[in-house]
Amino acid sequence: MNPDEIIGEVVHLTRLHDLWRKYECINLIASENIMSPKAEELYINDMMHRYAEGLPFKRYYQGHKYLDEVEVKAQQLMAGLFNAAHVDLRPLSGTIANLAVFVAFLENGNKVAALDVPHGAHVSHTIHGALGLRDVEVLQLPFDKERMNIDVDKAVKLVEQEKPDMIILGASLFLFPHPVKEISDAAKSYGGLVVYDAAHVLGLIAGKQFQQPFEEGADVVTSSTHKTFPGPQGGVIMAAEHVDFERVQKAIFPKLVCNHHIHRLPALAQTAWEMWRYGEAYARQTIKNAKALAEKLSELGFKVLAEEHGFTESHQVVIDVREYGGGKVNAEKLEANNIIANKNMIPGDEASSETMKNPSGIRIGTQEMTRWGCKEKDMEAIAEFIHRVVVKEENVKDDVMEFRKSFREVRYC
Ligand SMILES: *Cc1c(COP(=O)(O)O)cnc(C)c1O
């Protein structure tokens, strides 16, 4: 082992990664995004060396006079943007945000209603993930595969009959707004807690182009801060006025997070400001792009989910590529051509380990390419690249790299 050689390679590989993913690929991973240059600049700061356990102005160590104010101001920007009464920015990720809410509000023996993974749930909503750390009974929310959404009538009936202590809405495969209002109304009648996991759609909510979960009756909103919301990687928990938020804060610290990677907060505040200013235009174009991409893919012969219902109202488009060998092979083929998307389970896929390795779907998100300036006509070009790779088995890598040369500046910031 030669440490000099290894560190030299690490530096080189990091540069290669940056060049490849930032400037040479068409990035279509629905859960990723790119920060603005200003946010990137703010991300590098001394707060990355510090501890700040506890809440702003009530810390356990010294040295926080500036960063306490930064945290409070970041909270203010987020609270205003999402119409939240309470905000906690300390969760290190969306998963930790969910876990904190489960720790705060669930007791062993409680009932939780949630989607399952083929219908869009994130693994943290299941007993295989964070929810499994509580000993709860999980009821499956009924799903309508044609509409690619929760079956409202059946779900309301389930909630009324079973009175789950918590209902988890929001998803990772998330094409259409969930029936938050109907389910919240049913839950309010007996005091069930409605948690809306906005990880995928937070930027669309910020731009007011997707459902507003608090206005529709959600009690708690959890999220990542780096998917359609193009901030630094991290998590957030927000809540309506009536929620006992101290329980959440105590679940975060001292239970789940000590240092909260404070250096990300200035970049988070910067991103929240960008969403105040440019979020509407960004979110609107992201959704327009998703619709344009879906339409072109369908025209080229792909099975695009929810065709009868307009394909999508979010940043996501999902195609069923079973007939071309499944999600795994095709996601790999796309990667070899500098098109980065992920294989995904879709309704109809069984939750077996075989299917999870090669599910039927590919999930595509338009948010990052929208940030890079792509419009509808560029989506048509992307659909054609995908068609040439998946159906015609052509090599389009050079064409993709040429295409990316026109999109090198982050917009909406
Ligand atoms: C991505 C995602 C999460 C997890 O977020 P991390 O920040 O990756 O931990 C939680 N919920 C949903 C719905 C997600 O899509």
Side-chain angles (χ1 to χ4, degrees):
M1 196 214 41
N2 177 346
D4 296 345
E5 200 175 291
I6 292 176
I7 195 58
E9 279 171 12
V10 166
V11 171
H12 182 58
L13 290 166
T14 303
R15 301 285 173 258
L16 285 178
H17 168 93
D18 277 9
L19 180 68
W20 183 54
R21 286 301 301 276
K22 213 165 168 183
Y23 297 117
E24 296 181 346
C25 285
I26 295 177
N27 290 308
L28 300 172
I29 300 280
S31 56
E32 296 180 354
N33 217 318
I34 180 139
M35 287 198 286
S36 69
K38 185 75 195 172
E40 274 195 5
E41 188 189 315
L42 279 166
Y43 191 71
I44 308 290
N45 63 71
D46 174 75
M47 294 180 205
M48 74 176 65
H49 307 123
R50 307 304 160 197
Y51 263 93
E53 288 172 347
L55 294 167
F57 301 107
K58 293 180 202 156
R59 311 286 195 189
Y60 291 82
Y61 298 180
Q62 302 314 120
H64 306 131
K65 61 182 177 184
Y66 300 119
L67 72 80
D68 278 348
E69 293 211 33
V70 166
E71 183 159 341
V72 168
K73 288 183 197 314
Q75 286 172 350
Q76 282 171 352
L77 284 168
M78 293 294 276
L81 201 49
F82 297 104
N83 212 358
H86 309 281
V87 178
D88 197 321
L89 299 175
R90 295 173 298 165
L92 298 181
S93 75
T95 301
I96 299 294
N98 283 340
L99 182 57
V101 169
F102 302 154
V103 166
F105 297 114
L106 288 177
E107 296 185 21
N108 289 341
N110 278 177
K111 276 188 203 169
V112 177
L115 285 170
D116 58 0
V117 170
H119 295 155
H122 186 256
V123 67
S124 60
H125 306 172
T126 75
I127 52 160
H128 308 292
L131 189 59
L133 298 172
R134 279 293 195 235
D135 187 8
V136 291
E137 184 189 343
V138 182
L139 309 166
Q140 235 128 77
L141 284 170
F143 194 78
D144 179 339
K145 291 180 197 175
E146 289 304 309
R147 309 193 83 87
M148 281 303 289
N149 205 337
I150 293 167
D151 185 317
V152 190
D153 295 338
K154 286 188 191 156
V156 166
K157 212 168 275 167
L158 176 93
V159 169
E160 286 171 349
Q161 279 170 4
E162 298 283 341
K163 300 188 173 35
D165 301 282
M166 180 183 288
I167 301 147
I168 306 172
L169 302 175
S172 296
L173 189 72
F174 202 1
L175 297 172
F176 300 101
H178 278 169
V180 177
K181 173 144 190 8
E182 292 84 347
I183 289 174
S184 298
D185 286 348
K188 291 226 167 10
S189 66
Y190 66 89
L193 192 81
V194 175
V195 177
Y196 183 95
D197 182 341
H200 261 273
V201 291
L202 195 70
L204 309 180
I205 296 171
K208 310 283 183 258
Q209 304 303 307
F210 205 73
Q211 65 191 158
Q212 301 294 303
F214 287 123
E215 281 170 29
E216 294 188 24
D219 301 298
V220 176
V221 172
T222 58
S223 191
S224 309
T225 54
H226 50 264
K227 298 188 180 180
T228 53
F229 188 90
Q233 291 190 331
V236 56
I237 304 170
M238 300 183 276
E241 185 69 51
H242 66 270
V243 171
D244 180 0
F245 205 62
E246 228 183 282
R247 288 165 74 158
V248 171
Q249 291 170 329
K250 287 186 170 156
I252 290 290
F253 179 81
K255 287 200 170 82
L256 297 172
V257 177
C258 280
N259 92 68
H260 55 290
H261 302 190
I262 316 148
H263 67 286
R264 68 196 160 87
L265 297 182
L268 183 65
Q270 168 67 24
T271 309
W273 174 83
E274 290 164 9
M275 289 291 109
W276 274 99
R277 277 279 171 274
Y278 310 108
E280 190 178 330
Y282 154 69
R284 184 172 292 143
Q285 190 62 49
T286 296
I287 296 169
K288 269 201 227 167
N289 282 351
K291 286 179 191 284
L293 182 68
E295 247 154 58
K296 187 69 188 179
L297 286 167
S298 169
E299 203 182 297
L300 289 167
F302 281 105
K303 269 190 208 149
V304 185
L305 267 53
E307 174 164 7
E308 270 96 83
H309 303 280
F311 302 113
T312 182
E313 286 173 30
S314 74
H315 61 303
Q316 293 186 5
V317 175
V318 184
I319 53 179
D320 179 343
V321 293
R322 213 168 338 181
E323 66 195 277
Y324 307 110
K328 180 180 187 295
V329 196
N330 285 292
E332 287 169 0
K333 269 202 254 169
L334 289 166
E335 181 188 15
N337 285 279
N338 280 12
I339 300 171
I340 313 294
N342 63 276
K343 62 179 187 282
N344 216 98
M345 290 181 86
I346 57 175
D349 281 347
E350 278 169 43
S352 70
S353 59
E354 273 319 296
T355 322
M356 274 146 101
K357 275 185 219 145
N358 188 20
S360 306
I362 288 195
R363 187 185 64 175
I364 299 168
T366 55
Q367 70 294 337
E368 182 170 340
M369 293 314 296
T370 303
R371 294 265 292 170
W372 285 117
C374 286
K375 296 276 164 56
E376 290 94 318
K377 64 173 189 334
D378 309 311
M379 293 297 127
E380 294 183 8
I382 291 174
E384 293 196 357
F385 287 139
I386 294 172
H387 181 249
R388 284 170 62 195
V389 173
V390 172
V391 180
K392 296 185 168 169
E393 310 219 29
E394 288 178 25
N395 186 323
V396 301
K397 189 170 167 183
D398 292 342
D399 295 344
V400 166
M401 285 172 64
E402 192 57 35
F403 174 87
R404 263 311 305 267
K405 284 186 185 156
S406 315
F407 306 101
R408 293 218 154 162
E409 219 178 286
V410 183
R411 310 299 164 96
Y412 309 102
C413 57

